[in-house]
């Protein structure tokens, strides 16, 4: 999956440490921007995602897989799911890169 990441995002690595404060901020951002489709615990069971085809990604497990590198996650969240044939919106205009990294930190912490 990381092989399809465009040059603009290749080699991207998180710029933040996953401190308790960062994870808490990531949770707030995730709840506001992602949970309606991906569910509160990343199980793809959010109310808004129930009618989507394909269904929202099961982020709880997906972010732990080796193929879910930083560059891939940053790209997918920033640019949305059009390239993958999904209805996930692009968040590059709504969230800063730092906010996206905080969401990723929260997800990688296991949706505490």
């Amino acid at each position: 999956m990381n092989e399809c990441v465009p040059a603009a995002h290749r080699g991207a690595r998180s710029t933040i440490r996953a401190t308790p404060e960062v994870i808490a901020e990531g949770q707030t951002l995730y709840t506001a921007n992602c949970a309606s489709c991906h569910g509160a615990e990343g199980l793809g069971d959010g109310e808004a995602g129930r009618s989507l085809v394909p269904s929202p990604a099961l982020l709880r497990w997906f972010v732990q897989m080796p193929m879910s590198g930083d560059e891939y996650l940053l790209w997918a969240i920033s640019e949305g799911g059009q390239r993958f044939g999904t209805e996930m919106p692009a968040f590059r205009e709504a969230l800063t890169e730092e906010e996206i990294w905080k969401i990723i930190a929260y997800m990688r912490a296991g949706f505490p």
Side-chain angles (χ1 to χ4, degrees), residues 16-111:
I16 60 167
R17 289 187 53 231
T19 65
E21 294 80 18
V22 165
I23 291 169
E25 289 177 47
Q27 180 180 22
T28 299
L29 290 162
Y30 176 88
T31 299
N33 295 282
C34 313
S36 64
C37 290
H38 291 284
E41 297 180 9
L43 298 174
D45 60 351
E47 187 67 35
R50 291 182 187 196
S51 64
L52 298 177
V53 177
S55 61
L58 302 173
L59 297 176
R60 182 176 203 80
W61 292 281
F62 183 74
V63 298
Q64 305 301 328
M65 301 175 90
M67 65 184 157
S68 300
D70 281 357
E71 61 187 22
Y72 177 83
L73 292 171
L74 177 64
W75 171 52
I77 296 168
S78 296
E79 302 304 322
Q82 182 179 12
R83 172 139 165 88
F84 310 105
T86 73
E87 293 184 47
M88 179 170 157
F91 285 95
R92 69 181 170 277
E93 306 278 327
L95 299 168
T96 66
E97 187 171 308
E98 182 175 319
E99 289 172 325
I100 293 171
W101 287 128
K102 288 177 180 181
I103 290 170
I104 293 169
Y106 167 70
M107 293 189 302
R108 288 215 165 125
F111 295 81

